[in-house]
Amino acid sequence: RPRSRELDHLPVDHDTSRGQLAPEARGAAVAGPFEGLRGRLGRRSVIALFGVAWLASQTAILWILAPLGSEIARLQTRAFRAEETLRILQDWEARGVLDAYRAHFVLDRFHPILYAGFFTALLCRLFEDLGVSRRWNFVLALPLLSGLLDGIENQIQLRFLASPDFSAVVDPLPLLSTLASDGKWLLVLAYAGASAVLLWRVRRSRVRPGGSPAPSSGDGAPGSPGRPRT
């Protein structure tokens, strides 16, 4: 059977009877679409662009949602049943703050793109600086996955708001919305925490114990600053 040209240059584990790819070759084959994007997405200009846009959007959303208080967190993370979702929405309507919840979706439609773009670009940069193995490239997809879950949550909530007297708030839709939101926040905590740890490692690798900057090896080895990029 003819081989794919992309795999012709990869080493083969000759110890196996079926001619399977060696472990390092399998890692290269499954490196995914981020293999060629890590260097390009990890540029400072890309990180800065998404970062500024995300912070501006996040600040505006928090300001818009301020009248809702802590109930917004309860709706997102604990309203698993239609009864609880209805109670919160009807309470906001009675207090005259439901329009604030509606208004925030103007920005929240695009917000997942901004934070997913920022953290993907930041992780690409950190992976390159620390020479992280290609086998970990799947981590770079976590911000995108959280953004997709955010989009699912938004679409369900918009359906609730568009229905007369919240007639669309029926089980199991609140459960699906809350599970999507909880999954989103778990992923955010995971990759934001990973980013913080990697940032600390990059900072430590660039400073010697005596306080002077460590020389750059430029080889992208783990723990080294790697090649400078713009």
Side-chain angles (χ1 to χ4, degrees), residues 1 11 25 30 50 53 69 77 90 110 130 154 165 167 177-178 199 218 223:
R1 189 173 57 186
V30 300
F50 277 109
T77 62
Q90 289 172 347
F110 307 100
L130 292 170
N154 286 346
D165 299 323
S167 58
S177 176
T178 304
L199 278 169

Side-chain angles (χ1 to χ4, degrees), residues 11-24:
V12 175
D13 186 352
H14 295 289
D15 293 335
T16 61
S17 59
R18 297 182 181 180
Q20 296 177 343
L21 294 176
E24 64 273 16

Side-chain angles (χ1 to χ4, degrees), residues 33-43 120-121 123-137 140 220 229:
F34 292 100
E35 176 62 24
L37 293 178
R38 276 176 35 166
R40 293 193 291 271
L41 287 178
R43 294 180 180 276
T120 300
L123 285 168
C124 283
R125 175 83 186 196
L126 295 172
F127 275 30
E128 287 294 283
D129 284 349
L130 292 170
V132 175
S133 170
R134 293 172 295 190
R135 297 187 182 191
W136 290 94
N137 277 359
L140 303 176
R229 297 187 306 280

